[in-house]
Amino acid sequence: MPYCVEPRQATTSLQIPRLLALSTVVAGVVAAFPQAGWAMDLRQAYEAAQANDAQVRAARAGADATRERLPQAKAQLRPNVAVNMGRNYNDLTTTGRGLLGSPVTTQTHYYSSNQSLSVRQPIYRPYQQAQVRQAQAQVEDADATLERDEQNLVVRVGESYFDALLAEDQLALILAQKTTYSTQLDAARKGFAAGTGTRTDIDEAQARLDMTVAQELEARQNMEFTRHRLEVLTGQSMDVLARLDVQRFQASAPVPGAVEAWMERAEAHSPELRSLRAQLEAARLEVDKARAGHLPTLDAVAQWSRTNSDNVTSVNTRYDNKTIGLQLSIPLYAGGQISSTVRQSLAAQERAQEMLEATRRDLGVRVHREFRGVTEGVLRIQALEQAVRSAEQAVQSNRRSFEAGVRTTIDVLNAEQQKTLALRDLAQARYLYLVSQLRLQSLAGADRVSTVELANGWLQAAAPHPTPASD
């Protein structure tokens, strides 16, 4: 059965077969385990995951790398100052003809040197100016992407945390059910020996007990897996998780109560949309950069140079040269490369625009789905709480009827099983409500700490206890 209120793609391993949950009755079984170690709540798990999760650390490093594009782009519009210096030893051999036509060879040895200081200040560089604005958009994209990954971490931690709680609840309920079936089997055997029962009662109780034993093995494996997954996410081992305070827990409808308001909030604050809007702006500026290939550039240039013995005719002579002026460069023809680059950039801009629109529509669907998960979760929890009370009353009635000889063992076992299913569905609905709430807040770009504290407020620092030992 998917961990949702309507058919949709699976997103968490809470989607496991035969989900069994803890209720007020089973809480007594859990609390009865020996106490040791310390408890971790959702807030502590999130803080540990923030420091340990490799995906978030990689996103932070990626954002830091992208932020460096802005100072690099701005540097292209600042003065460029360069100093060049050189000193050479020259050995010049000259062969010629003397006055009488005889060959004459002379050798000249001298040092030459040069020093130059040049300053170039861009005045009109449309390509670099567009590059600065593009770098700003890319930084906004990196910041929004990091925020999106941070929001996803809230959901991943919440799903893993409640998944681990559900696995513990499943095992605790199965152990309680196992005890009930064992007691029922023993009573059936005694009744059969006393002549008041039937062999069918024994076989039915034995079959239910055997099935519970198989479910216990599966539940233990699942609890170990979910606990390990949470430990990998947080980078910490833990003895026990803070449990949901079912006595204090009160599901309430989201505020604001209109799904349209949540959609507007998501469109305005969703980090996913902010990232795509920044990508669209960067794509638009890429078009400006491509078109700048047709435009001229203008720089202010100043240079001071000094040369000593620059050539053989100027040995022991020094020249000082100072220049200042403007340098204009006008592109004329580049073989069609610039026009092709413009067309390519326009296509990339259209792609970014369509991706933004597609994501905006999909975000509306996801917000609507999680909004329904919260609002319908409130009603479902209320209905299942009533179902649990009715199932408990049915169990008591069947037991009294069995003692009076009106009902059979099978009737009692069926009532017990129906109660177990009601308890399972109730706990599942509570966890679904909390996870849907985390997802809804994340999609709307809410403050991460506030989102975690909202869910963490329903938890209690349960008395620490180790994993229950196998019977």
Side-chain angles (χ1 to χ4, degrees):
M1 178 177 179
Y3 187 65
C4 59
V5 295
E6 60 180 354
R8 67 180 186 184
Q9 182 180 0
T11 55
T12 172
S13 62
L14 285 171
Q15 303 159 332
I16 55 176
R18 300 193 57 84
L19 294 173
L20 299 174
L22 187 67
S23 69
T24 307
V25 177
V26 182
V29 178
V30 176
F33 291 134
Q35 299 183 2
W38 63 282
M40 172 182 284
D41 60 18
L42 181 62
R43 179 183 59 82
Q44 294 169 333
Y46 172 67
E47 292 174 351
Q50 274 191 311
N52 176 76
D53 186 65
Q55 294 184 28
V56 171
R57 293 205 309 265
R60 290 173 186 154
D64 290 340
T66 303
R67 293 187 187 107
E68 295 302 322
R69 293 185 180 182
L70 184 56
Q72 292 171 10
K74 289 181 177 179
Q76 301 298 315
L77 296 175
R78 292 171 180 163
N80 186 299
V81 182
V83 175
N84 294 298
M85 304 178 65
R87 181 173 175 80
N88 304 295
Y89 172 74
N90 301 275
D91 184 353
L92 177 63
T93 302
T94 306
T95 302
R97 294 289 181 176
L99 295 177
L100 301 178
S102 59
V104 178
T105 301
T106 60
Q107 284 189 319
T108 305
H109 304 278
Y110 66 95
Y111 287 93
S112 64
S113 62
N114 60 81
Q115 304 88 34
S116 67
L117 172 65
S118 61
V119 180
R120 179 180 294 271
Q121 172 61 58
I123 297 177
Y124 179 66
R125 290 278 190 93
Y127 182 93
Q128 279 74 19
Q129 291 167 350
Q131 192 173 36
V132 170
R133 297 194 300 272
Q134 185 184 51
Q136 292 173 338
Q138 290 170 338
V139 170
E140 292 175 4
D141 175 25
D143 292 339
T145 299
L146 176 59
E147 176 63 21
R148 181 198 63 191
D149 292 339
E150 293 275 11
Q151 290 284 2
N152 288 340
L153 180 64
V154 173
V155 177
R156 289 193 291 125
V157 171
E159 289 176 348
S160 298
Y161 188 92
F162 294 126
D163 193 2
L165 281 185
L166 184 59
E168 291 183 0
D169 294 351
Q170 175 186 10
L171 178 58
L173 183 56
I174 288 177
L175 291 178
Q177 192 176 36
K178 181 180 178 181
T179 301
T180 300
Y181 288 163
S182 298
T183 302
Q184 194 69 31
L185 176 61
D186 183 64
R189 286 173 176 170
K190 292 180 179 178
F192 180 75
T196 58
T198 64
R199 183 65 191 181
T200 303
D201 294 338
I202 298 177
D203 294 340
E204 184 68 23
Q206 184 66 58
R208 300 291 179 95
L209 179 61
D210 293 341
M211 179 60 68
T212 304
V213 172
Q215 292 173 354
E216 178 187 356
L217 296 175
E218 179 183 358
R220 289 187 181 278
Q221 292 175 355
N222 186 60
M223 186 178 68
E224 181 181 356
F225 168 75
T226 54
R227 178 64 67 89
H228 177 70
R229 188 180 64 176
L230 183 60
E231 290 178 349
V232 170
L233 187 61
T234 60
Q236 297 183 12
S237 60
M238 59 205 75
D239 295 318
V240 67
L241 300 176
R243 311 194 64 81
L244 180 66
D245 190 345
V246 296
Q247 300 295 333
R248 188 168 53 88
F249 175 77
Q250 184 66 43
S252 59
V255 179
V259 66
E260 292 78 11
W262 283 96
M263 290 182 178
E264 292 177 0
R265 181 179 296 183
E267 290 195 10
H269 303 290
S270 169
E272 190 173 4
L273 289 187
R274 287 195 288 113
S275 172
L276 290 174
R277 291 191 186 104
Q279 292 178 27
L280 176 60
E281 179 65 13
R284 186 186 66 80
L285 291 168
E286 186 66 27
V287 176
D288 293 346
K289 286 171 55 180
R291 287 173 174 165
H294 292 297
L295 302 177
T297 60
L298 180 65
D299 297 339
V301 180
Q303 186 177 32
W304 170 81
S305 63
R306 171 185 294 173
T307 60
N308 295 299
S309 302
D310 188 40
N311 52 60
V312 67
T313 62
S314 61
V315 177
N316 297 325
T317 302
R318 188 180 78 178
Y319 296 91
D320 286 322
N321 186 24
K322 300 180 181 65
T323 62
I324 185 171
L326 299 175
Q327 188 175 82
L328 178 65
S329 176
I330 302 176
L332 297 178
Y333 181 66
Q337 178 186 6
I338 296 176
S339 298
S340 175
T341 304
V342 170
R343 292 193 299 270
Q344 181 185 30
S345 301
L346 286 172
Q349 178 183 354
E350 182 179 0
R351 176 179 179 273
Q353 177 68 50
E354 295 303 330
M355 288 182 59
L356 173 60
E357 180 61 21
T359 304
R360 188 188 67 82
R361 296 178 182 180
D362 180 66
L363 179 64
V365 173
R366 284 181 285 159
V367 169
H368 189 270
R369 180 181 62 194
E370 301 306 334
F371 181 85
R372 287 189 58 188
V374 176
T375 55
E376 295 180 4
V378 175
L379 301 177
R380 180 173 172 79
I381 290 173
Q382 294 173 354
L384 287 172
E385 287 175 344
Q386 179 58 44
V388 168
R389 290 190 290 268
S390 299
E392 290 176 347
Q393 182 62 42
V395 169
Q396 296 177 5
S397 298
N398 276 273
R399 286 177 178 173
R400 295 192 192 99
S401 298
F402 174 76
E403 294 172 355
V406 179
R407 296 287 185 176
T408 65
T409 300
I410 297 178
D411 296 326
V412 176
L413 294 176
N414 288 338
E416 290 283 356
Q417 185 177 18
Q418 190 64 33
K419 174 186 173 182
T420 298
L421 294 176
L423 293 173
R424 177 203 68 183
D425 293 342
L426 175 57
Q428 180 186 3
R430 286 168 176 163
Y431 290 129
L432 170 61
Y433 169 84
L434 291 172
V435 172
S436 296
Q437 192 176 64
L438 290 177
R439 291 175 182 158
L440 182 62
Q441 296 286 345
S442 177
L443 291 174
D447 180 71
R448 301 189 304 274
V449 176
S450 299
T451 300
V452 173
E453 290 293 347
L454 181 64
N456 195 68
W458 298 117
L459 303 179
Q460 61 180 356
H465 63 273
T467 301
S470 177
D471 292 344

